[in-house]
Amino acid sequence: MAMKGINFPLAFNGQELVWRKVFQTFGLTIAEIDEYFTGPAFLAWNRMGNVQGWSGPLTDNWHKIQAILQSQILARMRSLGMLPVLPAFAGHVPRNLTRVFPQAQVSRLTNWGSFNQTYCCTYFLEPEDPHFVQIGSAFISEYTSMFGTDHFYNTDLFNEMTPKTNATKYLSDCGNAVYQSLAKSDPQSIWVMQGWLFVNEPEYWHKDQAKALLTSVPQGKLLILDLMSELRPQYTNLDGYYGQPFIWCMLHNFGGALGMYGAFNHINKDVFEARGQYENMLGIGLTPEGIEQNDIIYDFMTETTWYTSPVDLNQWVHNYALRRYGYINDDLSRGWHLLQPQFVLLTQTSVFVDPIRVNNHGKYTINHRPSLKFKSDLWYKPIDVFNAFELFVNGSTASQLQNSSTFQLLSI
């Protein structure tokens, strides 16, 4: 990541051990706390409040090892000049918090992923409740005492969840409570929030609702990750997030799907337009749900931070192939030309050029359960991919690159 210029990585390990300690200080038992945690493979959704308990609990040894690992991760990140983003409290609590605080304002979030009542509808301590700031502040104090801090904290109250009301005062109170829970323990804190909620539920998050949440925090103390800027940017819909800083992010990959896809044309245009129009755009980011695929798109995306204007894509792709293989010939150039056409017209598409902002990448036939009814919508001509493949694996190219670790041919 450091070699690609990434200096603002998420660092979430070890937090469950801290939650154990914090909730114990508020009177919950280990058993009551542990039943909230999912197994390790599902912690991303547990931490965002989508599910609870599924495939859990976590073992004592797991907690211990994660704390050690987090210390090593943070030491390495900081040694490279990075600013790690740490976790914070989003109101999601074990169900038995009401045993300790019978009068606490605890509701249940909406169902997510069709889980049954045992695992879904996480218990949510309303930000209006005074215990919200107390618990959130206690977590920050405990976490930073163990791991230190760089003053950036991520938390998302309503990730793919619908708030109980669309009243702007309620949403403003929610945002203010999150910020107060951070600032009480770390006056230099900055809240980092995903902008995915605005993409996921636009029928709820109208401008008034979004503005109420976003402006409830002092200007500059909230940083939004515009999570899918290459296809569905929200900064354009929400008046540049009303002055709050944001990062232009490429989501690109859903669920680790391994199909070929990329939006060279949007990245090469929209990043620079946004940078020129919004002074509060602080950088670019990557937010994929899977890695180790479509390397060329990630190479290009991370390089745009060094450019001041769009680049010649044909020259860039040519140079990329030369860097990647250490060798270039006419067949390789022609193959990449089929994947990234020379003239990007409104009606012209390719695997790595998307003029219509398709919103279904990842829905490939090969990644779906067999079905006689499923139809994969394509935005490019499949023959171009087949022809490019033939150019890549022809005799002279394959012979020249047979020992290249970045150009592999598999024999069956």
Side-chain angles (χ1 to χ4, degrees):
M1 289 193 293
M3 290 177 67
K4 290 292 185 183
I6 293 170
N7 58 5
F8 196 56
L10 204 62
F12 262 27
N13 295 68
Q15 64 176 285
E16 283 70 34
L17 176 62
V18 181
W19 281 123
R20 257 187 164 196
K21 294 181 178 181
V22 169
F23 282 128
Q24 277 185 279
T25 65
F26 283 90
L28 275 75
T29 67
I30 286 290
E32 290 173 329
I33 299 166
D34 283 356
E35 76 166 5
Y36 173 73
F37 298 135
T38 64
F42 303 93
L43 282 174
W45 297 278
N46 186 217
R47 291 165 176 172
M48 292 187 290
N50 302 125
V51 294
Q52 58 188 342
W54 181 260
S55 194
L58 302 166
T59 67
D60 291 343
N61 192 54
W62 191 89
H63 288 297
K64 177 182 177 180
I65 290 173
Q66 287 295 303
I68 295 171
L69 179 60
Q70 178 70 338
S71 294
Q72 295 173 338
I73 288 171
L74 290 172
R76 186 63 173 142
M77 287 179 172
R78 288 165 179 157
S79 75
L80 293 168
M82 293 176 167
L83 297 171
V85 181
L86 303 178
F89 183 49
H92 313 131
V93 296
R95 67 185 80 231
N96 285 329
L97 186 73
T98 53
R99 177 187 64 78
V100 182
F101 303 117
Q103 303 305 314
Q105 299 179 57
V106 176
S107 59
R108 299 195 71 171
L109 292 172
T110 49
N111 185 284
W112 183 90
S114 300
F115 283 84
N116 64 37
Q117 287 289 310
T118 301
Y119 305 109
C120 83
C121 313
T122 305
Y123 288 75
F124 182 64
L125 178 63
E126 293 290 345
E128 304 158 305
D129 192 291
H131 293 107
F132 187 102
V133 173
Q134 293 172 18
I135 293 174
S137 175
F139 175 80
I140 296 299
S141 295
E142 182 66 31
Y143 199 95
T144 56
S145 70
M146 291 178 62
F147 301 112
T149 184
D150 295 271
H151 310 297
F152 291 94
Y153 306 93
N154 168 252
T155 189
D156 296 286
L157 296 176
F158 306 113
N159 181 69
E160 300 189 0
M161 301 287 192
T162 306
K164 68 177 183 180
T165 173
N166 65 358
T168 55
K169 183 181 185 307
Y170 171 74
L171 296 172
S172 181
D173 289 344
C174 287
N176 182 61
V178 171
Y179 176 68
Q180 294 304 323
S181 72
L182 300 174
K184 184 176 179 180
S185 289
D186 181 2
Q188 299 181 62
S189 61
I190 294 177
W191 174 14
V192 180
M193 185 186 82
Q194 297 181 87
W196 181 251
L197 71 172
F198 306 126
V199 179
N200 183 67
E201 200 169 6
E203 65 276 11
Y204 174 92
W205 291 102
H206 300 290
K207 280 193 173 183
D208 288 345
Q209 284 68 37
K211 186 175 182 179
L213 178 64
L214 295 168
T215 59
S216 65
V217 179
Q219 198 81 344
K221 289 292 187 175
L222 174 63
L223 175 58
I224 301 100
L225 307 179
D226 194 278
L227 223 60
M228 196 179 180
S229 301
E230 83 278 22
L231 291 183
R232 297 177 67 184
Q234 296 303 301
Y235 59 88
T236 55
N237 300 332
L238 300 175
D239 298 340
Y241 291 114
Y242 308 102
Q244 295 287 21
F246 73 92
I247 294 177
W248 198 104
C249 298
M250 178 181 77
L251 200 161
H252 183 269
N253 179 284
F254 286 96
L258 297 179
M260 295 174 68
Y261 175 79
F264 264 120
N265 48 326
H266 297 310
I267 299 167
N268 196 38
K269 172 176 174 287
D270 297 355
V271 167
F272 303 103
E273 288 185 352
R275 186 185 295 169
Q277 185 175 354
Y278 300 97
E279 293 182 354
N280 54 322
M281 175 185 156
L282 300 189
I284 60 170
L286 303 175
T287 53
E289 292 184 351
I291 60 174
E292 304 300 338
Q293 38 74 37
N294 290 292
D295 294 351
I296 188 171
I297 293 298
Y298 292 88
D299 247 50
F300 181 69
M301 179 64 187
T302 52
E303 275 200 23
T304 61
T305 194
W306 307 110
Y307 304 142
T308 57
S309 60
V311 302
D312 181 333
L313 287 177
N314 295 287
Q315 186 62 50
W316 189 92
V317 171
H318 176 88
N319 292 340
Y320 170 84
L322 182 59
R323 290 199 320 270
R324 182 174 178 87
Y325 310 130
Y327 168 83
I328 196 76
N329 62 19
D330 288 344
D331 285 340
L332 280 172
S333 294
R334 289 167 56 205
W336 276 111
H337 178 79
L338 288 171
L339 303 179
Q340 194 280 309
Q342 182 174 4
F343 300 106
V344 182
L345 305 176
L346 291 177
T347 58
Q348 187 175 9
T349 63
S350 79
V351 170
F352 293 121
V353 171
D354 170 15
I356 57 175
R357 296 184 189 269
V358 297
N359 195 32
N360 71 332
H361 60 278
K363 297 182 180 179
Y364 309 112
T365 303
I366 198 170
N367 290 327
H368 275 251
R369 293 178 180 177
S371 170
L372 296 177
K373 298 180 181 179
F374 180 77
K375 181 180 182 297
S376 182
D377 296 325
L378 299 180
W379 60 93
Y380 59 91
K381 294 183 290 185
I383 190 63
D384 288 344
V385 179
F386 294 124
N387 289 337
F389 178 78
E390 289 184 357
L391 290 165
F392 287 152
V393 301
N394 74 22
S396 62
T397 302
S399 175
Q400 182 71 29
L401 297 176
Q402 61 182 333
N403 295 320
S404 170
S405 62
T406 53
F407 185 95
Q408 296 288 333
L409 289 177
L410 301 179
S411 299
I412 299 177

